[in-house]
Amino acid sequence: MNRPDATAVAAAIRSGALRAVDHARATLDAIDTANPGLNAYHEVFHDAALERAAAIDAMIAAGRDPGPLAGVCVAVKDNIATTLGQTTCSSRMLTGYRSPFDATVVTRLVGAGAVIVGKTNMDEFAMGSSSETCAWGVVRNPHDPTRTPGGSSGGSAAAMAARLCDLSLGSDTGGSIRQPAAFCGIVGLKPTYGRISRWGLVAFGSSLDQIGPFTSTVRDAALAYGVMAGVDAHDSTSAPVPVEDWQATPPADPRALRVGVPSQYLRNNDPAVTEALERALGLLRAAGATIVDIDLPMTDHGISTYYVIAPAEASSNLARFDGIRYGHRATQRAGEGLEELYARSRSEGFGAEVQRRIMLGTYVLSSGYYDAYYDRALRIRRLIKQEFDTAFAQCDVILGPTAPTAAFTIGGVTDPLQMYMNDVYTVNTNIAGIAGISLPGGIDRSSGHALPVGLQLQAPAFAESRLLRASELLERLLSA
Ligand code: GLN
């Protein structure tokens, strides 16, 4: 797993010290060796990646600069549209689907010199926290193959953690970048809602979804973020807020940094998670940072609010997959009407968790229940936002665990509600539309395996530079 980070790879390739083709070939070889055990990739683009890498080398030989991601190998979550290969959302519903266009993030990464090496497995339609609902088999955690890499972006996290790419893309609706980053011991950034274009991301909860990178270092997260962020005419929810050059923001001065720690984030964590948080707080304090005790009582209402809003939006977004307009179509039986054909196509195409979400969402939106559930959830959403505003008047960033535990075993969590509780610290970031990041924070050795533990930092909307600078500081303190 000793591989330079993406920033170093791009620098080596741009300077001519490393050939993009050699680097791509080494990456593809590593995938061929490790992927059968991990199931991180659904598809690998051997020929296209080598061809693209050769084009990068040719540009460099001709004295042209391919860009800040020159020759960097990128893995893309399978709910992000690529003209290369399929875009299936790990669902039978989209088996064989080929996108006629690239998502804006893919276009921007490729425009900056990246080489797309493959598509990664995920929880079906990004619903889940363990990558076990993937129609193409479960994904395994590189730190212990009996454990889940987290989810829903588990394939992208596992590919990054096993160094089967230089950076990978995930999507985060309620924690799907940060929780797998925590379980796999890597960096995972969920930017502010609207910061990165969702054009080409298959919609789950449209008011919550954001694309973001998995990387091995904070500077790589900043690099990938910088390339992808910014307004996009194809996505009307992308924000016309200028993207600051994070390097123009001075490095965080710990003596001027106020780190908020909500009391609600300190309960119900495994001992190794508590230990990791305490160690980080000790290091920050010793470096001169001010630790501020804050209160986020709405933390306790995040899961119930999320599991009304996200399924409501999902039931609407997934209505188009009926086998006629989009998606898998069941074989029509003699005399069968359209209603039955829709029902059978959707029953065959969607797995159990997706069906559960659609039913939940349809229920909370139905007349008679709309006010009791959906409308009330929107009111709580406003309170959650207000609570973060109040908190950020007292501190610059909020620190806590990413998840209450390290990675759990595959098959170990069967109760949906228990699974949903994994996201207790991550859902409110999406509900409020602010920015969050998970950093490797420690190791849980209680199982006999060395399992990573993640720490989450949150910052106000559009304060990514602040978030990244604080993350870089914490990364340095933790590794010293
Ligand atoms: N685990 C959460 C869910 O199942 C979050 C998923 C996500 O962020 N895509 O909905």
Side-chain angles (χ1 to χ4, degrees):
M1 289 197 193
N2 277 332
R3 183 178 161 125
D5 70 353
T7 304
V9 166
I13 290 175
R14 280 165 115 178
S15 73
L18 175 66
R19 288 200 327 147
V21 161
D22 293 335
H23 179 65
R25 192 167 288 123
T27 304
L28 294 164
D29 287 348
I31 296 173
D32 292 341
T33 306
N35 195 54
L38 294 174
N39 196 32
Y41 283 93
H42 177 51
E43 268 192 293
V44 182
F45 309 132
H46 292 89
D47 296 345
L50 289 173
E51 230 171 81
R52 166 86 182 131
I56 302 277
D57 286 332
M59 278 174 87
I60 290 166
R64 284 165 42 221
D65 182 8
L69 293 176
V72 165
C73 293
V74 176
V76 179
K77 186 176 180 179
D78 209 21
N79 60 350
I80 297 174
T82 48
T83 47
L84 275 175
Q86 303 180 11
T87 299
T88 71
C89 296
S90 291
S91 178
R92 270 183 290 278
M93 185 52 93
L94 283 171
T95 311
Y97 173 69
R98 288 181 180 275
S99 169
F101 68 97
D102 279 322
T104 298
V105 288
V106 172
T107 307
R108 289 190 181 175
L109 291 171
V110 169
V115 175
I116 307 297
V117 290
K119 297 298 285 285
T120 57
N121 284 320
M122 53 186 276
D123 277 304
E124 185 179 4
F125 279 101
M127 297 170 187
S129 305
S130 64
S131 302
E132 292 170 291
T133 71
C134 171
W136 323 129
V138 303
V139 183
R140 294 178 183 276
N141 190 316
H143 296 272
D144 173 0
T146 68
R147 289 178 191 259
T148 123
S152 64
S153 315
S156 285
M160 186 62 232
R163 298 297 189 270
L164 307 182
C165 57
D166 300 308
L167 74 90
S168 59
L169 294 186
S171 65
D172 190 313
T173 306
S176 280
I177 293 175
R178 290 161 288 156
Q179 182 256 21
F183 281 15
C184 290
I186 54 176
V187 177
L189 171 68
K190 185 212 88 77
T192 305
Y193 180 77
R195 205 30 149 162
I196 290 183
S197 170
R198 293 182 294 117
W199 170 252
L201 171 68
V202 178
F204 166 9
S206 307
S207 76
L208 305 161
D209 298 338
Q210 258 306 277
I211 294 173
F214 288 102
T215 56
S216 58
T217 58
V218 171
R219 68 176 187 172
D220 277 4
L223 174 65
Y225 163 79
V227 167
M228 293 189 287
V231 71
D232 173 20
H234 290 304
D235 174 4
S236 60
T237 63
S238 69
V241 178
V243 184
E244 328 160 43
D245 173 7
W246 87 297
Q247 280 167 335
T249 311
D253 174 1
R255 286 157 306 172
L257 189 67
R258 296 168 306 161
V259 179
V261 182
S263 56
Q264 290 78 8
Y265 287 16
L266 305 176
R267 309 162 306 184
N268 308 322
N269 300 316
D270 275 3
V273 175
T274 305
E275 237 168 71
L277 180 59
E278 277 168 4
R279 174 162 174 258
L281 288 171
L283 290 165
L284 284 163
R285 218 179 261 122
T290 309
I291 310 298
V292 189
D293 294 327
I294 60 168
D295 252 333
L296 290 178
M298 296 307 285
T299 303
D300 296 341
H301 302 287
I303 294 290
S304 44
T305 307
Y306 174 84
Y307 278 96
V308 172
I309 296 174
E313 294 183 7
S315 71
S316 155
N317 279 323
L318 269 54
R320 72 188 64 152
F321 300 106
D322 57 14
I324 304 292
R325 285 176 299 168
Y326 292 97
H328 165 83
R329 185 184 301 178
T331 316
Q332 193 163 16
R333 293 176 181 157
E336 186 176 58
L338 197 54
E339 280 299 320
E340 290 124 292
L341 183 61
Y342 283 152
R344 280 199 312 110
S345 298
R346 286 168 69 79
S347 302
E348 287 176 12
F350 290 134
E353 184 60 28
V354 176
Q355 294 189 26
R356 182 178 298 120
R357 303 289 178 106
I358 292 172
M359 286 189 279
L360 205 55
T362 307
Y363 180 78
V364 299
L365 288 176
S366 59
S367 86
Y369 296 102
Y370 184 96
D371 290 347
Y373 293 105
Y374 187 66
D375 191 58
R376 181 178 286 189
L378 293 185
R379 286 161 197 254
I380 300 175
R381 183 173 201 170
R382 200 166 322 126
L383 296 177
I384 291 171
K385 278 189 186 150
Q386 282 168 5
E387 199 174 83
F388 275 116
D389 288 345
T390 311
F392 285 124
Q394 296 167 259
C395 61
D396 304 308
V397 288
I398 295 174
L399 177 66
T402 307
T405 67
F408 48 88
T409 46
I410 292 170
V413 178
T414 48
D415 172 38
L417 281 181
Q418 199 190 334
M419 186 70 85
Y420 298 169
M421 287 313 290
N422 255 284
D423 305 324
V424 61
Y425 301 131
T426 51
V427 287
N428 279 359
T429 324
N430 304 70
I431 290 174
I434 62 174
I437 191 169
S438 180
L439 307 172
I443 303 287
D444 183 348
R445 296 183 197 279
S446 61
S447 69
H449 281 272
L451 298 176
V453 164
L455 292 177
Q456 174 176 236
L457 280 171
Q458 294 175 90
F462 303 108
E464 275 86 0
S465 294
R466 183 199 303 180
L467 182 68
L468 290 163
R469 284 302 195 187
S471 302
E472 178 194 49
L473 169 69
L474 186 54
E475 177 185 55
R476 195 174 62 237
L477 293 175
L478 286 168
S479 67

